[in-house]
């Protein structure tokens, strides 16, 4: 199963990816983790990424896609993978599709966790209040509001992109965690 979990920050993508990984053996592939691993391993793509990151610049799509291309060749992803943090926009989705096509494969599905922004903001405020001192720096309503704005401007158009390709499966991300997991499994035929 080659999968993308799509949804705004705080929708539960990480939690659901971990559950799928634990139950089915799909590997959650974080682009940030893959970039750091490629740099540490000294791969050709990793060397390109290291030079770019050392200048404080964002790693271009072709380099990120190259790192994903290398990573999905590894034996531990034989059962499948869940892309985390990529693609973030339609241009990246198109680059990903082209790379996969070149390998004779394609995504199986894109699962979108549909959520209500106002409820996400309330959740993050509650979580921040409950974890005083232990919260992430961006775990506050103001930071989440900015992240949601960026998501809606740049990443949300992926819904229409993948719907047009017949890959999008929408689930109600506002349900209780176990119910969201059941919806995802049903949408994927697991």
């Amino acid at each position: 199963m080659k999968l993308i979990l799509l949804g705004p920050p705080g929708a539960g993508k990480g939690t659901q990816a971990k559950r799928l990984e634990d139950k089915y053996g799909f590997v959650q592939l974080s682009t940030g983790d893959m970039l750091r691993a490629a740099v540490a391993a000294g791969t050709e793509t990793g060397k390109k990424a290291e030079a770019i990151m050392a200048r404080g610049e964002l790693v271009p799509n072709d380099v990120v896609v190259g790192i994903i291309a290398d990573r999905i060749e590894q034996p531990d992803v034989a059962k499948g993978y869940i892309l985390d943090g990529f693609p973030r926009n339609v241009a990246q989705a198109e680059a990903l599709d082209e790379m996969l096509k070149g390998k004779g494969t394609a995504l199986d599905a894109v699962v979108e966790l549909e959520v209500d922004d106002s409820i996400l903001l309330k959740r993050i405020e509650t979580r921040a209040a409950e974890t005083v001192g232990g919260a992430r720096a961006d775990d506050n309503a103001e930071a989440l509001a900015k992240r949601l704005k960026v998501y809606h401007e740049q990443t949300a158009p992926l819904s229409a992109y993948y719907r047009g390709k017949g890959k999008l499966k929408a689930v109600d991300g506002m349900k209780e965690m176990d119910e969201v997991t059941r919806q995802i499994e049903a949408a994927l035929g697991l």
Side-chain angles (χ1 to χ4, degrees):
M1 178 76 51
K2 294 169 282 302
L3 176 65
I4 292 172
L5 289 181
L6 187 61
K13 298 180 301 292
T15 298
Q16 295 300 330
K18 179 73 174 133
R19 286 174 165 223
L20 292 170
E21 187 175 46
D22 291 347
K23 188 169 182 180
Y24 298 103
F26 308 149
V27 178
Q28 183 179 3
L29 300 179
S30 159
T31 51
D33 291 346
M34 287 186 287
L35 280 167
R36 287 183 287 279
V39 168
T43 66
E44 187 164 328
T45 308
K47 289 175 188 173
K48 287 180 193 174
E50 182 176 31
I52 294 163
M53 292 186 301
R55 295 191 302 266
E57 299 171 6
L58 291 176
V59 179
N61 294 348
D62 64 321
V63 175
V64 177
V65 170
I67 287 172
I68 293 169
D70 292 344
R71 181 64 180 92
I72 64 175
E73 294 293 327
Q74 301 302 312
D76 66 325
V77 299
K79 289 184 179 178
Y81 56 84
I82 305 162
L83 287 174
D84 177 8
F86 193 87
R88 291 188 184 266
N89 57 49
V90 173
Q92 291 178 348
E94 291 169 343
L96 176 65
D97 286 348
E98 281 302 309
M99 178 273 290
L100 292 172
K101 183 178 177 184
K103 291 183 172 292
T105 188
L107 291 170
D108 293 304
V110 176
V111 175
E112 181 173 28
L113 301 177
E114 295 179 328
V115 296
D116 181 308
D117 286 2
S118 63
I119 294 174
L120 285 181
L121 287 165
K122 285 180 184 138
R123 279 185 188 169
I124 205 82
E125 288 169 342
T126 301
R127 189 166 66 196
E130 291 172 351
T131 58
V132 177
R136 289 175 22 183
D138 63 353
D139 221 2
N140 62 66
E142 183 180 331
L144 179 61
K146 288 178 183 173
R147 292 167 58 211
L148 287 171
K149 182 179 185 297
V150 169
Y151 173 82
H152 288 295
E153 289 172 354
Q154 297 178 15
T155 308
L158 289 173
S159 296
Y161 176 79
Y162 286 117
R163 186 177 298 110
K165 295 188 165 293
K167 300 281 184 190
L168 190 71
K169 316 260 186 222
V171 301
D172 183 353
M174 301 309 301
K175 297 287 187 187
E176 188 271 325
M177 202 180 322
D178 290 337
E179 177 57 26
V180 174
T181 302
R182 280 190 287 278
Q183 288 181 45
I184 291 170
E185 290 173 333
L188 298 174
L190 299 173

